[in-house]
Every structure is written in structure tokens, then in C-alpha cells.
Amino acid sequence: MFPTISIIKDPKQGISTATLFEKTEQISHAGLSENEKEFLSKKLKKGTECSFLKYPELSFFGKIKAAEAYLEQEAARKAGAKLYQELKDAHITAVNLVNRHNSPLLSAFLEGLLLASYSFDKYLKEKETFQLKEVFVVGEEVSDKDAEELLNLTSAVFAARDLVNEPNSFLNAVQLSNELESLGEKAGFAIEVFNKQKIETLKMGGLLAVNKGSIDPPTFNILEWKPENAVNKKPIVLVGKGIVFDTGGLSLKPTANSMDYMKTDMAGAAVIATAIYVMALNKLPLHVVGLIAATDNRPDGNAYVPGDIITMFDGTTVEVLNTDAEGRLTLGDALSYAKKYDPQLVIDYATLTGAADIVAGPHAAVVMGNSSENIEKLKEAGFQTYERLIEVPLWEEYAKPLKSKIADLNNLGSREGQSTIAGKFLEHFTSYNWIHIDSAGTPFLKEADAYRPAGGTGFGTRLLYQFLKSMI
């Protein structure tokens, strides 16, 4: 699937070369004729990347303008994605990567190149045939270890994209558990799957209520990466929303631009599973546990209904006012279960509210919680990976709409401030350092955007990995 990456001192002769630079004079020694330099200068006035083909070689130049470091890194990723498309269009399978820019950008350039190579053709009669086979990274800016780490991270992002792209006709809750077990076998982390009988024994009322309308049983998945050299005495727990398809239940969603994309409602599960996957592949010395409550949400004759009162795993009673506010019910059970680990920190990741999509769109996720220092570290990781976060407060006023006259809570609250109200609902089930990420607008794109393809984006895997790596 991925090309061989070699670190070399000088560009390989006779193959295509891609060059990053900041000023035009930095490419004066790139072996171009005067006519080629003139052609390049004219093209660069119209854009930041250009290429021209001298058969069988492609000369690609990406001009990265001086800016803040994280913006330069993102510009390099986008240049890498542009290069991949150029190579694919010309059917060129080997390339040199050269950096003439004053800043270290080759790793980001390589990252964009790799991330852009994704395709989901499982259900297509005509499969993708182009394969980039060799990448030669010129210089000592990227090490062999860096390249291996980046390949593993790209593999994790692709796994997250695959999971989000899979339809519910394949990926029900049981199959999701099978896929997670496969990831565990490949990377070496442990996984335990609770079946419906075990979930009933535990009295996970939120998960069981949402599952009542499904003909498929729910699962509760515990993923664990616990290396012997872990630097943390208490585990970090990651909780992912695992609604494999969300019709809204009896509070039925409209189809256009709503229900038709609800195979993506398990993107939180995909993100936390693949973050643990790449941690295990790269052997990060950090003890991490993942919790995923999985089911679909359908309007069957036995489905839970508005007005029902359910009892959650921790004993909290909840009045159901809207069956489409189901994610917070399954997450509430998982967050309560997390207490048994006496965690150092818990992060839940979910496509939870349309309000978060309105706030951030596809460009960022919304973050809130009670651990300010870790939120700041997460936001910094967001800039480093360009999977950014917008923080909103968890003021007590947002809890008032969740009061019920006949139960401890209701599951809806008011329309205004809904992303924060959902966060306040989840907060009720926490008693530890906790962060909530609502990524409703990020997991799926209708049209490709640079190295993020149309379909599943894998947004969040790189973010969590960067954050967890910073804790070592």
C-alpha cells in the first residue's frame, strides 16, 4: 500500500524531483535551463505550486511563503498532496523530495504526500491501479525512525477513514468489534468485547435503551495498550462514540444532508481506536484504555420513545425528550465505566451535536472540559496537526435546561447552546480530569480538500496521537 521511503544524501539521478523553497533564487542550482527558470517564474506568479514534465521526469516546485510555523507545515502538507496528484496523473512511481526552504518542512511535505494517496475502492468494480512505489528523502531532516513513525500514523488515519466509509450494511456493532479486534491483532494492543448479555448484567441503561430499536445486538469494547515501560501510573482513558448508524430513532432525522451521512456517527470510535492502534505500532510508553459503546439507533416497534425514563450505568435516571440525542446516553454509560480505572485523564471524542458543526464546520472540532492545562496542550496539538480545536466554556447556566421534574436529568435541554448543553450532560457522569471533543463537522467531506479525500477524513487520529505523544 505504501511506498518504500529511503533517506539519501543526494537526489537519485533519472527520476522525478520535488523541491520545496521559499525564495526563487533558492532553486537556481536545481539544474534548470534559462527557459525552464523563466517558465517556472511565470507559473509561480499565478500560484504557489507548479510542475513541468521532461519525460520521463517530473520537476515539481512548491513555494512555501514565510508564515507562522504551523501554517508553513500545513502549506507543505498541501504541496505534498498536490505533488501526489501530479505523480498520479503522469503515472510516475518514484520521486526525490528536496527542501531548499529555510525551515524544516520535509516531514510535513512527506506527510501530505502519503495522506493524499488514500482511496476507498472496496465496493468499486474498477479498482485504483496507481501505486507510488519509492520516495527518496534527500538530507538528514527526516530519519528512518521518523519515516517509520509517519507510515504507521498514515496507516492509522487510513484505518479510521475506512471505518467511517464503511456502510452500515457491513459495519454493524458486532462487525465494528471485529474490526477493532483486527486492529488489536495487527498492532499488539488488547481488546475485550462485552456482548449484550454482559451489558444487561452491568445495567448499562443508556446503551441498552438506544439499542432497543435495533435487530442487531450492542457491544461494549475495551481497548488497552499497556506497555511495561509506561510513564504514567494511572491510565489515560479515551471514550469514543460508536453509533454505527443514526436514524434519529423515533425522533426521525430528515434524509437529505442528515440521515444520509449517519454512517459517520461512529467516527469518534474510529478515532480513538486508531489513535491507540498507532500508539501500539510506534510503541509509545503510555498506558491508554479505550472505551466504545456501540449500537445503531433505529425506529423499530420496540424502540425507546420520547417520555421514557431510563436508568444509566451509574444509577442516574434520565427522561428521554428526544431519541436523536442518543450519543450522550451511550457516552454517559462509558464515562461512568471509566471511573473504575481511576484515570489520570479521560477524553471523549464524538460526533455529538449539529451545533458543533454550525460553530466550527469541517475546519475544527469543539472542545470543552475541566482540565484547562490539558485542553491547552490539545489545542497546541491541533495547530501542529492542523486538526484544530475551538474551546467553549462549561458554565453552570448550561446545565439548567437539563433539569427534569420526573427524573434526575433529561437528555435534551434547550436548542440554544446545544453543544455545551450536551457537554454538561456528559459532565454529570465524570468525577475526574475530563475533556469532551465534539467533532460533528469534521469526519466526512463531500469533496476532497488537499490531503483529505472525499468521504471519511480520519480527522482526529493525528490530533490525539500528537497530544498523547507530548505527554511522554
Side-chain angles (χ1 to χ4, degrees):
M1 175 186 287
F2 295 115
T4 300
I5 299 175
S6 303
I7 314 302
I8 59 177
K9 291 185 178 180
D10 300 300
K12 286 276 187 181
Q13 298 300 309
I15 69 169
S16 300
T17 297
T19 303
L20 283 178
F21 65 99
E22 183 179 6
K23 300 177 181 178
T24 305
E25 53 264 31
Q26 290 172 328
I27 59 168
S28 60
H29 53 295
L32 303 179
S33 68
E34 291 303 316
N35 287 339
E36 288 169 342
K37 290 178 184 177
E38 183 179 355
F39 171 81
L40 178 61
S41 296
K42 288 181 179 179
K43 286 200 74 174
L44 287 171
K45 289 179 180 178
K46 299 179 181 179
T48 57
E49 299 99 14
C50 74
S51 62
F52 52 90
L53 185 65
K54 293 193 298 182
Y55 187 82
E57 299 173 39
L58 177 80
S59 295
F60 177 92
F61 298 89
K63 184 175 183 180
I64 307 300
K65 298 178 181 178
E68 293 183 62
Y70 82 95
L71 292 174
E72 286 191 332
Q73 295 285 324
E74 180 64 4
R77 288 187 199 99
K78 290 181 176 180
K82 176 69 173 176
L83 169 63
Y84 180 81
Q85 190 59 52
E86 296 275 2
L87 295 171
K88 181 179 177 180
D89 290 346
H91 300 284
I92 293 172
T93 61
V95 65
N96 293 307
L97 302 187
V98 180
N99 186 17
R100 305 291 185 193
H101 196 280
N102 292 325
S103 300
L105 294 175
L106 268 189
S107 181
F109 190 40
L110 176 60
E111 184 177 32
L113 175 69
L114 294 173
L115 288 171
S117 68
Y118 175 82
S119 64
F120 185 73
D121 59 8
K122 177 179 176 180
Y123 299 99
L124 294 175
K125 185 180 292 186
E126 295 184 10
K127 308 294 186 183
E128 175 62 64
T129 58
F130 176 74
Q131 174 65 55
L132 180 61
K133 296 179 179 178
E134 293 181 295
V135 176
F136 298 97
V137 181
V138 181
E140 300 178 352
E141 185 179 317
V142 178
S143 68
D144 290 332
K145 183 179 179 181
D146 294 334
E148 181 182 8
E149 180 182 32
L150 185 54
L151 284 170
N152 287 337
L153 181 56
T154 305
S155 175
V157 173
F158 284 12
R161 291 174 178 177
D162 283 348
L163 287 171
V164 171
N165 282 327
E166 285 287 4
N168 183 232
S169 55
F170 171 78
L171 196 72
N172 60 17
V174 173
Q175 186 60 39
L176 174 62
S177 296
N178 293 338
E179 297 297 312
L180 300 181
E181 288 177 328
S182 178
L183 291 176
E185 290 174 3
K186 291 177 183 177
F189 64 83
I191 177 168
E192 183 178 9
V193 180
F194 293 167
N195 60 19
K196 185 175 183 178
Q197 183 178 2
K198 175 70 170 180
I199 294 166
E200 288 173 336
T201 299
L202 291 172
K203 298 181 179 179
M204 291 184 167
L207 176 55
L208 290 168
V210 178
N211 180 252
K212 283 184 68 177
S214 177
I215 62 172
D216 299 317
T219 63
F220 189 82
N221 306 270
I222 303 172
L223 294 64
E224 186 169 22
W225 168 243
K226 190 178 182 180
E228 293 182 358
N229 61 340
V231 298
N232 52 328
K233 294 181 180 179
K234 296 181 178 183
I236 296 167
V237 177
L238 307 177
V239 177
K241 180 181 175 184
I243 303 297
V244 291
F245 196 88
D246 181 20
T247 67
L250 290 176
S251 303
L252 197 66
K253 293 177 182 288
T255 298
N257 297 312
S258 182
M259 194 196 302
D260 45 351
Y261 293 105
M262 282 299 104
K263 68 178 184 179
T264 69
D265 214 16
M266 39 58 64
V271 166
I272 71 111
T274 54
I276 294 173
Y277 172 73
V278 68
M279 285 182 64
L281 287 177
N282 288 332
K283 295 180 168 44
L284 291 194
L286 205 63
H287 181 195
V288 176
V289 173
L291 303 176
I292 297 169
T295 181
D296 56 300
N297 181 28
R298 293 182 189 247
D300 182 74
N302 195 43
Y304 76 133
V305 302
D308 278 354
I309 296 177
I310 62 176
T311 302
M312 303 287 286
F313 174 69
D314 73 341
T316 298
T317 57
V318 177
E319 179 188 8
V320 176
L321 296 183
N322 189 310
T323 64
D324 195 23
E326 86 299 329
R328 64 199 71 179
L329 299 177
T330 61
L331 288 169
D333 279 346
L335 289 169
S336 296
Y337 192 86
K339 295 173 186 177
K340 74 187 293 288
Y341 295 97
D342 187 23
Q344 172 183 324
L345 173 68
V346 175
I347 302 173
D348 77 75
Y349 200 104
T351 50
L352 203 61
T353 66
D357 187 14
I358 292 171
V359 169
H363 309 295
V366 171
V367 65
M368 62 197 82
N370 61 17
S371 183
S372 298
E373 181 179 350
N374 284 309
I375 288 176
E376 289 304 312
K377 290 180 180 178
L378 255 175
K379 287 160 66 176
E380 177 59 30
F383 284 118
Q384 292 171 357
T385 58
Y386 217 70
E387 294 186 339
R388 294 163 294 175
L389 297 170
I390 297 173
E391 185 178 2
V392 299
L394 273 172
W395 295 330
E396 282 306 309
E397 287 83 352
Y398 290 107
K400 291 181 180 179
L402 292 168
K403 292 180 179 179
S404 168
K405 293 180 180 179
I406 59 174
D408 298 322
L409 297 172
N410 73 70
N411 78 325
L412 184 60
S414 61
R415 180 178 180 274
E416 295 79 15
Q418 182 55 221
S419 61
T420 310
I421 288 172
K424 292 300 288 186
F425 182 92
L426 297 180
E427 183 185 42
H428 174 86
F429 301 93
T430 68
S431 60
Y432 37 66
N433 292 325
W434 163 73
I435 298 172
H436 165 55
I437 300 174
D438 189 340
S439 62
T442 65
F444 193 90
L445 294 177
K446 294 180 182 178
E447 301 291 339
D449 179 20
Y451 56 87
R452 294 188 177 97
T457 64
F459 185 110
T461 300
R462 293 164 54 243
L463 165 69
L464 284 187
Y465 178 73
Q466 181 65 36
F467 169 74
L468 293 166
K469 184 179 175 182
S470 73
M471 302 188 76
I472 297 171

